[in-house]
Structure formats: C-alpha cells, structure tokens
C-alpha cells in the first residue's frame, strides 16, 4: 500500500477578536517547551511544526502513514498541539484557506522569504492563504510523471471537496475557495501540460527556472509536482480543511488517484491530453462553487451536477479504494459532504448576515470556527 503524508497550513488568530495574530514564533517555542516537559501524543507519529510565509501561520506535517485511522489520529494530535501552544500566547488555531477577518500581518523573515518579497512585491504581503498538501509515495520519478499526466483533470475535484475559504479579510468573496484565486496569482501556479516522460518533466521545470521568475524549484507551484527531496508526488490543490475528516477524505482520494494513474501508466493507457487552460477552467469552477453547483466532469469536459461528478470520481478510483480498504470510508465521506456541506458552507452559516461593524459577533463566529478546527 502506498504511504501518504499531509502538510496543513494553519492560521493563528486572536483569542478575543478573531483577527490574525503574528505569533507563530511564540507558538512554536511554546510547543517545543511543552514537549520538553511532557512529550506530545503526536510524537509517536513523528512529523514537525514550523514556520510559513506569514507570522500569522504555522505548518504541521505528518510522517508517511498507510492507514486512514492513523492519519486521522496524527492530524488531530498536531492540531491539538498547536491549539494548546496558541492559547498560552492569547491566540487560537483556525483551519481556513483564508483569514475570515482582516488584520495586520507580518511576513516571516528569512533570506528566502526576503528574496520573495523583493521579487513579488505587494503580492507577498497579501498572500495569506492556507493549503493542504498531500504527499503520496511513488516507485520512482518515471512513475511519478506518468501519474502527473493522468491525475491532472481530476485534481479540481479535490479543491471542490476541500473548499474552505469563502471569506477573506472581512469580505464575502462569493467564492467557496477564494484561496484558489489567490494561489493562481503565482506565475508558476496551475496545471502542467501532459509531459509523457521524466526528461520532458525536467525540461519543463528547467525552462520555468530559466525564465528567472521562480526563485528555485520549490516555487514551482503547480497543482501537483514531484518532490525534490522525497520519493513522493505532492498534490497541492486542496484548501486546508475545517474538519479533519475532510482532510483524511482528501488524502484517501489523492492516494487512490495516484494508484489508479500508476496502474494506467503501467498498462500503457494514454493520458487524456486536455489542454492546461481547460483544466484551469475546471479549477476555477471548483473554487467558485465548491459542491454547491455544477462541476466539470473530467471524462467529458462538460458541466454536470456535483453529485454526478463525484460519482464519476468514485467510479474512477473504485478499484484502488477497495484494494486499500478505503472504499466505504470515502463513499460515506462524499455522501456526508453532499448532504451537510464543505467547510466553506460551515463558514457561511456562521458569518453570513453579520454586521461588518459588529466586532463581537464577528469574533464569536471565528472563535466558533476555531473550535470546529480541533473538535472542542
């Protein structure tokens, strides 16, 4: 069975106002000090807690895991670890793709981030977004490229399932995932073309770097990419999910997509050569509507009801899910989201209709979201 690991970018908000707080360094120190006194339950799983682009964010990552229950446990343990540390400095942890409320934010200082700020200007200051990145084991880079070519049209559906950023900086954006809109401002973001070979993949990445626009290969912010440091493929389309169950669902679907594509590659099944601009349109539709309206149906490229498109996804990866023992878990998870809504819909239930000048009501809504982040 292929292992998988998950990176989650999490917001830190003021415990009273719900607005972003620049306390990442303090939270990381508090977590380390607590671990020195009393090792956290998450230590049995490994992983790490670190900085992100803004001081209002931290990033957690799990080690490679095979079972969905183990991944669920590790994700909850890391969120609880951040929650406990944040409370020590008067903050709370919030899993949201964008900050629902406006606030002053500061960039994390490092030589690399300073270079990014110099190159990209105002965009860096505004780029307060939180994603969920899933790493799935591949047997080698050749298989990885074969997988990349065959999962690209399905990746917008992971965005639709994870959509969790309808409000940004105190504005209702009208999107279910406004993070996707902000992410697409990176000049290296979006879907790759079908490449066909490792040589073509390396040539594509090298051509991007030769332009002098990305600083390095770490800034190849495509929907999915080969890891530069591990034998994994990294899928980067999803918002960070409000509910851990949705994170596990995204990871299970990602692994099943990789396994299905790897089997197709090994059998010589051609990759659907859908032009990258059309894949990007499917991503826009997923970010705009989540699961509340129609999505692009990958096999036909047409607009179809979300339930039908998710049904096609489940059929596409069904064998891989059954072989991993994940089919019932994923099927029930998709049914739950179609019936009860994504994280974006939970955010709207709490934030829609509030007076933008009612600071107390806004703060209460964001604190309620933070409680959903860690099942308080």
């Amino acid at each position: 069975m292929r292992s998988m690991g998950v990176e989650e970018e999490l917001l830190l908000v003021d415990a009273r106002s719900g607005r972003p707080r620049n306390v990442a360094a303090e939270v990381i120190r508090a977590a380390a000090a607590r671990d020195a006194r009393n090792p956290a339950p998450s230590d049995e799983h490994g992983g790490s807690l670190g900085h992100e682009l803004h001081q209002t964010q931290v990033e957690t990552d799990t080690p490679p895991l095979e079972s969905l229950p183990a991944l669920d446990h590790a994700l909850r343990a890391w969120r609880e670890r951040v929650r406990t540390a944040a409370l020590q400095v008067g903050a709370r942890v919030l899993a949201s793709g964008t900050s629902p409320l406006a606030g002053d934010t500061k960039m994390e200082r490092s030589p690399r981030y300073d270079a990014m700020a110099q190159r990209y200007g105002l965009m860096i200051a505004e780029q307060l977004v939180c994603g969920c990145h899933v790493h799935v084991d591949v047997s080698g880079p050749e298989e990885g490229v074969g997988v990349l070519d065959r999962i690209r049209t399905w990746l917008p559906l992971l965005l639709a399932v994870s959509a969790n950023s309808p409000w940004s900086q105190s504005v209702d954006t009208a999107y279910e995932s406004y993070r996707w809109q902000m992410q697409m401002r990176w000049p290296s973001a979006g879907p790759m073309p079908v490449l066909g070979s490792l040589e073509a993949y390396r040539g594509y990445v090298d051509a991007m770097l030769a332009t002098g626009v990305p600083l390095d290969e770490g800034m190849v912010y495509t929907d999915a990419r080969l890891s530069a440091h591990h034998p994994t493929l990294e899928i980067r389309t999803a918002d960070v999910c409000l509910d851990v169950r949705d994170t596990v669902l995204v990871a299970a679907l990602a692994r099943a997509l990789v396994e299905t594509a790897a089997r197709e590659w090994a059998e010589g099944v051609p990759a659907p050569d859908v032009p990258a601009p059309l894949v990007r349109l499917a991503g826009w539709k997923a970010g705009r509507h989540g699961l509340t309206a129609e999505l692009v149906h990958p096999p036909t490229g047409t607009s179809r009801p979300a339930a039908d498109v998710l049904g096609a996804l489940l059929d596409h990866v069904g064998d891989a899910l059954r072989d991993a023992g994940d089919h019932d878990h994923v099927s029930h998870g998709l049914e739950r989201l179609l019936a009860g809504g994504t994280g974006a819909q939970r955010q709207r239930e709490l934030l829609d209709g509030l007076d933008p000048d009612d600071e107390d009501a806004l703060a209460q809504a964001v604190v309620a979201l933070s409680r959903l982040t860690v099942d308080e």
Side-chain angles (χ1 to χ4, degrees), residues 133 148 152 155 179-180 183-184 186-193 195 201 204-205 208 214 216-227 233-238 276 280:
H133 303 160
L148 288 173
R152 52 200 289 278
L155 294 184
R179 169 195 154 272
W180 188 89
Q183 188 69 15
M184 289 304 106
W186 290 111
S188 57
M192 282 187 174
L195 294 168
Y201 176 87
Y204 184 80
V205 171
M208 293 178 74
D216 50 38
E217 191 166 342
M219 288 197 70
V220 175
Y221 291 148
T222 47
D223 293 348
R225 64 188 185 186
L226 299 182
S227 171
L233 183 148
E234 180 185 8
I235 296 174
R236 303 171 49 83
T237 46
R280 182 169 177 142

Side-chain angles (χ1 to χ4, degrees), residues 13 15 18 92-94 242 346-347 350-351 361-376:
V13 300
R92 300 188 68 93
V93 60
L94 173 62
L242 181 63
R346 299 283 77 71
Q347 289 204 37
L350 288 166
L351 288 162
L362 291 171
Q364 289 174 17
V366 173
V367 169
L369 289 170
S370 76
R371 291 197 173 105
L372 292 175
T373 295
V374 288
D375 294 332
E376 286 187 63

Side-chain angles (χ1 to χ4, degrees), residues 235-253:
I235 296 174
R236 303 171 49 83
T237 46
D239 280 5
V240 68
C241 297
L242 181 63
D243 191 324
V244 167
R245 293 178 299 171
D246 299 343
T247 309
V248 175
L249 176 62
V250 167
L253 286 168

Side-chain angles (χ1 to χ4, degrees), residues 28-355:
I28 292 170
R29 282 198 297 269
R34 182 178 183 275
D35 287 351
R37 297 189 303 269
N38 181 26
S42 57
D43 282 356
E44 68 190 71
H45 295 286
S48 65
L49 171 66
H51 292 277
E52 249 300 325
L53 180 60
H54 287 271
Q55 295 178 21
T56 52
Q57 299 170 283
V58 293
E59 180 181 82
T60 67
D61 72 90
T62 73
L65 297 165
E66 291 188 354
S67 79
L68 299 187
L71 180 62
D72 183 283
H73 183 78
L75 288 164
R76 292 180 191 277
W78 276 111
R79 288 190 181 195
E80 175 60 23
R81 184 184 183 193
V82 177
R83 183 192 75 86
T84 302
L87 286 175
Q88 293 182 40
V89 297
R92 300 188 68 93
V93 60
L94 173 62
S96 176
T98 50
S99 176
L101 302 184
D104 294 329
T105 62
K106 297 178 181 178
M107 192 186 78
E108 185 64 39
R109 299 303 303 273
S110 73
R112 188 166 186 271
Y113 288 152
D114 289 349
M116 289 170 65
Q118 183 176 13
R119 182 164 300 187
Y120 299 106
L122 178 63
M123 196 182 89
I124 292 292
E126 296 177 343
Q127 198 69 8
L128 181 57
V129 296
C130 294
C132 169
H133 303 160
V134 182
H135 289 259
V136 182
D137 176 57
V138 290
S139 64
E142 292 84 2
E143 181 185 72
V145 174
V147 169
L148 288 173
D149 286 348
R150 289 161 177 79
I151 64 173
R152 52 200 289 278
T153 60
W154 296 97
L155 294 184
L157 303 188
L158 300 187
L159 174 64
V161 166
S162 67
N164 184 36
S165 48
W167 279 62
S168 179
Q169 302 295 318
S170 301
V171 174
D172 182 344
T173 68
Y175 289 81
E176 297 297 279
S177 172
Y178 192 65
R179 169 195 154 272
W180 188 89
Q181 289 293 318
M182 297 183 72
Q183 188 69 15
M184 289 304 106
R185 299 194 304 174
W186 290 111
S188 57
M192 282 187 174
V194 172
L195 294 168
S197 69
L198 178 58
E199 181 182 14
Y201 176 87
R202 289 303 332 164
Y204 184 80
V205 171
D206 289 345
M208 293 178 74
L209 298 177
T211 66
V213 178
L215 285 178
D216 50 38
E217 191 166 342
M219 288 197 70
V220 175
Y221 291 148
T222 47
D223 293 348
R225 64 188 185 186
L226 299 182
S227 171
H229 306 292
H230 305 287
T232 64
L233 183 148
E234 180 185 8
I235 296 174
R236 303 171 49 83
T237 46
D239 280 5
V240 68
C241 297
L242 181 63
D243 191 324
V244 167
R245 293 178 299 171
D246 299 343
T247 309
V248 175
L249 176 62
V250 167
L253 286 168
R255 176 167 66 178
L257 281 169
V258 170
E259 177 62 23
T260 300
R263 294 175 183 183
E264 291 178 340
W265 171 74
E267 294 165 4
V269 177
D273 196 8
V274 179
L278 294 184
V279 180
R280 182 169 177 142
L281 290 177
W284 184 91
K285 198 174 184 74
R288 175 64 175 84
H289 299 297
L291 300 179
T292 67
E294 293 189 344
L295 296 168
V296 174
H297 182 255
T300 64
T302 59
S303 184
R304 299 270 293 276
D308 291 352
V309 178
L310 292 185
L313 171 62
L314 192 60
D315 288 343
H316 177 67
V317 298
D319 287 346
L321 289 172
R322 279 184 281 271
D323 290 345
D326 296 342
H327 192 277
D328 287 349
H329 184 107
V330 168
S331 177
H332 294 155
L334 293 176
E335 290 174 0
R336 172 177 55 79
L337 285 177
L338 286 168
T342 62
Q345 290 164 268
R346 299 283 77 71
Q347 289 204 37
R348 290 194 183 284
E349 289 172 1
L350 288 166
L351 288 162
D352 283 5
L354 295 182
D355 183 344

